Amino acid sequence: MNNRLEMHDITRTFADGGFQRTILDRLNLKVAEGELVAVMGPSGSGKSTFLSIAGALLEPTRGDVLIDGKSILGQDKQALSELRLRKMGFIFQNANLIPYLKVEEQLMLVAKLAGSSKEVCAQRADELLQRMGLTHRKNAYPHKLSGGERQRVAIARALMNDPAVLFADEPTASLDASRGLEVVAMIAKQVKEQRKSAVMVTHDDRVLPHCDRVFYLDKGKLTEHPV
Amino acid sequence: MYLALREIRFAKARYTLIAAIMLLISFLVLFVTGLAQGLAYDNAASIQNMPATHFVLEQGSDHRFTRSQISGEKLEQTRSVVGESNAEPLGVQMTSIVLSGDIQKIDVALLAVNPKGWLAPDLTMGTTEKQETGGVVVDEKLAEHGVRLGSILVDQASGTRWTVTGFVKNESFSHAPAVFLSKEEWMGLHLPSSAQSGPGSAEGQAAYNAVAVKATEGEVSKLQSAVPNTEIIKKADAVSAIPGYKEEQGSLLMMIAFLFVISAFVLAVFFYVITIQKTSQFGILKAIGTRTSYLAGSVTLQVLLLSVFSLAVSIFLVKVLEMALPGTMPFQLGADMLALTCAAFIAMSLAGSLFSVWKVARIEALDAIGRAGV
């Protein structure tokens, strides 16, 4: 089995009023191809820090992050930006779509940023929208969509550049229970079908049955719990 | 490009409002610029039109034609340096005239030039022929006061009578329409008084106000030593020494400068507020891998689009206005000045966008994670 995301001995400390506060303490995680992993934990446990480091938004104090077997550390901002664009897909808490882009354009934007040709973008966007059941909404602005639809657009946007890893930051937080389940089921399905590795930070335990493994983040370490 | 255009499409009302403000400001900039240019030209047209490079004035005359007295001797000395054909005497005097049979006084500038020389303006109507015998050529603006070909003008100071033999266009000095007369007529005005003031030959006393020369820089420095008790000034200095010229242009220039600064500020504040409003959005865009340079380019492009669009509309409006303005309104906006003003306006707008670009560059992608969102 192929691990598209690996985190080795990740430590992150913050200077906090003269103290060195350790948020993450030699944390290890391997996520295989086609696998959706949930990370749970109380607020303040460092879930955001964990996700930021995995997502190349924050440098760890020590340790290494590998995407498709390659270390992502020690690169400049521009290279990291490029890496996030091509190798990672992000799904945020409130979908966070760009308010002035129509559904289809949300997807076209990320493909254009990655330099794909117009035909390729359009074809890929069509295909993804169809898979998400959004074809009839492709010319709608985000404010016209329901919460569930918005989150599905966000999933499609995250998948647009065919990334190695998907990161989801509390994707169900603003949805009701059944919509939340639907969205996570969709993420799980895409991850399986397209052989991605995915990490979802959540504290909604109703969605855990869709995940392959569940971890709890506590005292800077991840411990696996049975699903 | 992609983002900038679609955002404008989406938030039409917002961008239309700011474009309207920019439009008003740029229109005002162009209008005041045209007015300043027009007034400048109206004030000094006759001097501006002269193909001279420099003027020889009496020392201590503070660059003013009307204060300077140049004798025929100095004219000859000047001619010996720059060549006979490159120096022409010039007389300037402000006076008021009355159209014969009328009582309305009109302020005019008397300009004494050789009718066959290169200082003489091109006629639009009439002839210069009878100038030695009381004929004068006048600016077209006098036509509004009822002056026609063959009209008799009476000088209020001397009582001299002149016959209008021709018209010229755009000739004025110190905002007064020009009346061109010959050397002989000029002498007639000035000789009696100078004959009383001292002895000497008529030629020696033939006082002009200045000598217009066409000279190279090398000849100018030679002139300075060859013709004593004179100052050699550039044409531009002569223009700005016309009474009121500097003050008039100075206050208009100040208005224009303020308008430029205001437009930069309006844009800066508008885009800064919008940028702050979109902080989380920029954070998301950065998190999903948008380069800062792309976002900064997007903001700059929006500023550029707004200012170019506003300018285009205001150029159109100014051109329409220019056609609608009456001929007496001094308004002049040449292609050069228009291009320069537009370039300055766009440059100021872009300067105004720098603040927002700086703000965009400072937004952290990290903010996108773990935030409830806006």
Side-chain angles (χ1 to χ4, degrees):
Chain A
M1 229 196 308
N2 194 357
N3 295 327
R4 301 197 82 171
L5 170 70
E6 293 188 15
M7 298 173 81
H8 296 296
D9 289 325
I10 297 292
T11 300
R12 174 76 202 192
T13 55
F14 283 107
D16 182 11
F19 288 98
Q20 284 291 316
R21 221 155 69 83
T22 303
I23 308 289
L24 302 177
D25 184 16
R26 290 191 301 273
L27 174 150
N28 284 290
L29 178 68
K30 288 179 181 167
V31 187
E33 212 172 33
E35 194 180 29
L36 171 60
V37 164
V39 173
M40 304 196 54
S43 30
S45 59
K47 294 196 300 282
S48 294
T49 308
F50 159 77
L51 202 61
S52 300
I53 290 174
L57 292 164
L58 188 67
E59 288 249 326
T61 313
R62 271 185 302 282
D64 202 0
V65 180
L66 306 178
I67 301 278
D68 275 346
K70 270 189 237 152
S71 172
I72 64 169
L73 298 182
Q75 303 187 49
D76 64 19
K77 274 194 164 179
Q78 206 158 328
L80 287 176
S81 184
E82 203 63 10
L83 185 84
R84 290 198 298 273
L85 181 64
R86 293 169 197 278
K87 288 289 183 186
M88 301 175 185
F90 290 90
I91 301 160
F92 303 101
Q93 210 157 5
N94 274 1
N96 279 318
L97 303 174
I98 309 304
Y100 48 83
L101 294 182
K102 294 173 183 168
V103 166
E104 193 183 23
E105 291 165 351
Q106 305 273 347
L107 307 192
M108 300 290 272
L109 171 70
V110 285
K112 269 181 77 91
L113 287 174
S116 315
S117 77
K118 210 172 172 187
E119 293 76 38
V120 176
C121 305
Q123 203 189 341
R124 174 114 181 113
D126 270 355
E127 185 197 320
L128 275 171
L129 289 177
Q130 198 168 4
R131 240 189 282 159
M132 300 291 155
L134 285 168
T135 306
H136 63 295
R137 301 299 265 154
K138 78 177 190 185
N139 285 320
Y141 283 107
H143 64 95
K144 297 279 186 203
L145 302 177
S146 71
E149 283 175 327
R150 258 179 247 166
Q151 210 49 289
R152 285 189 332 227
V153 177
I155 297 170
R157 178 174 72 177
L159 290 168
M160 189 65 191
N161 286 338
D162 197 19
V165 188
L166 271 190
F167 295 107
D169 179 25
E170 310 247 12
T172 61
S174 56
L175 302 176
D176 62 40
S178 65
R179 297 270 169 236
L181 269 179
E182 204 179 296
V183 162
V184 175
M186 200 152 251
I187 295 175
K189 181 164 169 266
Q190 299 305 326
V191 168
K192 298 260 154 356
E193 280 178 10
Q194 302 199 31
R195 312 305 296 160
K196 314 284 180 206
S197 290
V199 176
M200 174 171 68
V201 164
T202 185
H203 48 238
D204 182 358
D205 38 19
R206 289 167 305 193
V207 305
L208 297 184
H210 288 289
C211 303
D212 298 294
R213 286 187 291 160
V214 177
F215 291 89
Y216 280 85
L217 183 60
D218 192 24
K219 299 199 177 82
K221 286 192 199 300
L222 285 174
T223 39
E224 187 166 351
H225 280 237
V227 179
Chain B
M1 192 74 76
Y2 197 78
L3 282 179
L5 295 177
R6 274 163 186 78
E7 186 174 11
I8 293 177
R9 180 194 65 186
F10 182 74
K12 279 189 209 81
R14 184 187 286 185
Y15 285 92
T16 307
L17 276 178
I18 191 70
I21 296 176
M22 296 294 293
L23 171 66
L24 291 174
I25 296 177
S26 58
F27 176 77
L28 201 53
V29 165
L30 291 178
F31 185 75
V32 176
T33 306
L35 200 63
Q37 291 285 105
L39 281 172
Y41 188 70
D42 185 59
N43 196 339
S46 287
I47 305 299
Q48 302 262 33
N49 292 347
M50 286 177 183
T53 58
H54 294 78
F55 291 94
V56 179
L57 266 66
E58 191 186 5
Q59 202 166 42
S61 60
D62 203 14
H63 297 189
R64 293 200 178 177
F65 289 118
T66 45
R67 288 184 189 166
S68 159
Q69 296 283 311
I70 294 281
S71 64
E73 185 193 353
K74 296 235 169 69
L75 171 62
E76 290 313 316
Q77 286 169 338
T78 308
R79 280 187 166 154
S80 68
V81 175
V82 296
E84 184 78 18
S85 61
N86 285 333
E88 283 280 343
L90 171 68
V92 180
Q93 189 189 331
M94 304 303 296
T95 187
S96 32
I97 55 162
V98 182
L99 180 60
S100 177
D102 201 350
I103 49 161
Q104 187 64 47
K105 293 187 184 187
I106 311 164
D107 284 330
V108 294
L110 296 180
L111 294 173
V113 299
N114 176 7
K116 306 276 185 303
W118 46 262
L119 282 184
D122 295 329
L123 293 187
T124 54
M125 203 199 293
T127 168
T128 54
E129 265 166 27
K130 280 178 244 147
Q131 280 214 23
E132 289 80 7
T133 54
V136 290
V137 168
V138 302
D139 184 66
E140 278 179 352
K141 264 182 237 136
L142 285 180
E144 283 159 31
H145 296 279
V147 176
R148 301 281 175 268
L149 281 180
S151 295
I152 308 287
L153 305 177
V154 184
D155 178 29
Q156 289 292 286
S158 62
T160 317
R161 297 165 76 84
W162 295 302
T163 313
V164 175
T165 63
F167 280 98
V168 289
K169 203 177 167 167
N170 292 335
E171 290 291 344
S172 54
F173 180 84
S174 199
H175 290 302
V179 170
F180 287 90
L181 57 162
S182 66
K183 187 173 133 188
E184 289 74 13
E185 285 299 320
W186 180 257
M187 297 298 182
L189 276 182
H190 290 84
L191 266 184
S193 57
S194 51
Q196 287 165 2
S197 63
S201 73
E203 193 56 30
Q205 291 158 355
Y208 298 102
N209 294 104
V211 180
V213 293
K214 291 180 187 171
T216 60
E217 283 304 319
E219 285 169 333
V220 168
S221 51
K222 255 191 254 167
L223 265 181
Q224 245 136 16
S225 51
V227 192
N229 299 325
T230 57
E231 50 189 29
I232 320 291
I233 60 167
K234 288 204 183 87
K235 185 157 103 173
D237 295 331
V239 167
S240 57
I242 294 174
Y245 184 91
K246 255 190 296 195
E247 293 76 4
E248 192 178 277
Q249 291 297 306
S251 43
L252 288 169
L253 190 68
M254 193 186 76
M255 275 192 236
I256 296 169
F258 262 81
L259 285 173
F260 275 128
V261 174
I262 290 170
S263 67
F265 260 89
V266 167
L267 264 187
V269 169
F270 174 79
F271 274 92
Y272 189 65
V273 168
I274 287 199
T275 303
I276 288 178
Q277 219 180 24
K278 294 193 301 193
T279 301
S280 68
Q281 207 183 94
F282 281 125
I284 299 285
L285 279 167
K286 282 189 176 184
I288 64 173
T290 316
R291 258 176 268 119
T292 299
S293 57
Y294 183 87
L295 296 175
S298 197
V299 172
T300 313
L301 182 73
Q302 287 183 339
V303 173
L304 203 62
L305 279 176
L306 282 183
S307 47
V308 169
F309 170 78
S310 316
L311 267 178
V313 177
S314 43
I315 289 172
F316 172 76
L317 290 179
V318 161
K319 288 287 168 198
V320 169
L321 187 80
E322 196 178 351
M323 277 186 274
L325 283 176
T328 47
M329 177 90 175
F331 187 91
Q332 202 182 50
L333 196 57
D336 283 1
M337 200 58 199
L338 189 67
L340 187 74
T341 310
C342 291
F345 191 79
I346 289 172
M348 285 307 280
S349 306
L350 289 179
S353 74
L354 283 180
F355 205 37
S356 301
V357 167
W358 170 77
K359 182 74 193 168
V360 168
R362 280 184 18 139
I363 292 171
E364 286 277 350
L366 189 59
D367 296 345
I369 298 278
R371 131 201 302 265
V374 187

